[in-house]
Amino acid sequence: ASMGFYDRRLYARNLHAHIVLRSQAATFLETFHIQGAAHSVTNAYGLFEGEDLVGVLTFGYHPRSKEIVLNRFCFQAGVQVVGGASKLFENARRDMGFKSMKTWSDNRWSTGEVYKKLGFKLSGELKQDYSYVHPNSKRRVGKQSMKKSNIGAPEDVTEYEWLQEQGWTRIYDCGKKTWGWESV
């Protein structure tokens, strides 16, 4: 029987979860997460089938509010792990002892259902936003990094005009959802 998008189906009860090195999580996320690794990771958890890392969940602190943030979560391409998100999250919650956290889902890729299943509550919807891409780069660059003060744009030129002259293209997303989790 075809599993559609997935090549393999695993069950979390048959796997083990534990802390992994941030460098190991980063390598995994650069390979399998559409956004690559997060910049600010304090804790990383992996889900293993024997020695094979099949899933990663990472946490960090929000740069302004200092709240704990679930900043990346993914499995190997083509692998469905039934109960995997719960197993990773519960192990992290037990080990780290956090009382609350937040995360976001990007409407281009997800409805955020996985967060709802983990007990997160929808706390806000963010309108569409933009970032930049350049033909010589593999990644999108956020608008925060492209402020006029960061890119050497002349006073009489807008950020957009300056970046366009440099070969950058502005692209828009579909908005995001903000999710909050609190222990009961």
Side-chain angles (χ1 to χ4, degrees), residues 36-97:
H39 296 294
S40 162
V41 172
T42 56
N43 296 74
Y45 285 79
L47 195 58
F48 291 84
E49 179 185 38
E51 296 299 311
D52 186 25
L53 180 60
V54 295
V56 163
L57 184 66
T58 65
F59 301 90
Y61 289 97
H62 191 278
R64 291 181 297 282
S65 69
K66 304 302 179 205
E67 290 177 272
I68 188 94
V69 170
L70 188 163
N71 53 24
R72 291 291 188 272
F73 165 61
C74 79
F75 294 111
Q76 279 183 15
V79 176
Q80 178 185 32
V81 183
V82 178
S86 295
K87 186 156 189 166
L88 278 168
F89 187 70
E90 288 306 316
N91 274 267
R93 192 172 74 115
R94 184 191 64 233
D95 292 353
M96 294 171 64

Side-chain angles (χ1 to χ4, degrees), residues 148 151 153-164 170:
K148 280 180 67 165
I151 59 173
E155 194 68 32
D156 61 336
V157 177
T158 67
E159 160 199 305
Y160 177 68
E161 292 167 336
W162 180 250
L163 288 169
Q164 233 183 352
R170 183 184 278 185

Side-chain angles (χ1 to χ4, degrees), residues 117-134:
K117 288 178 180 172
L118 293 175
F120 284 76
K121 304 279 185 249
L122 181 64
S123 56
E125 300 219 25
L126 306 172
K127 63 182 182 168
Q128 72 176 20
D129 204 357
Y130 66 89
S131 56
Y132 290 96
V133 292
H134 193 278

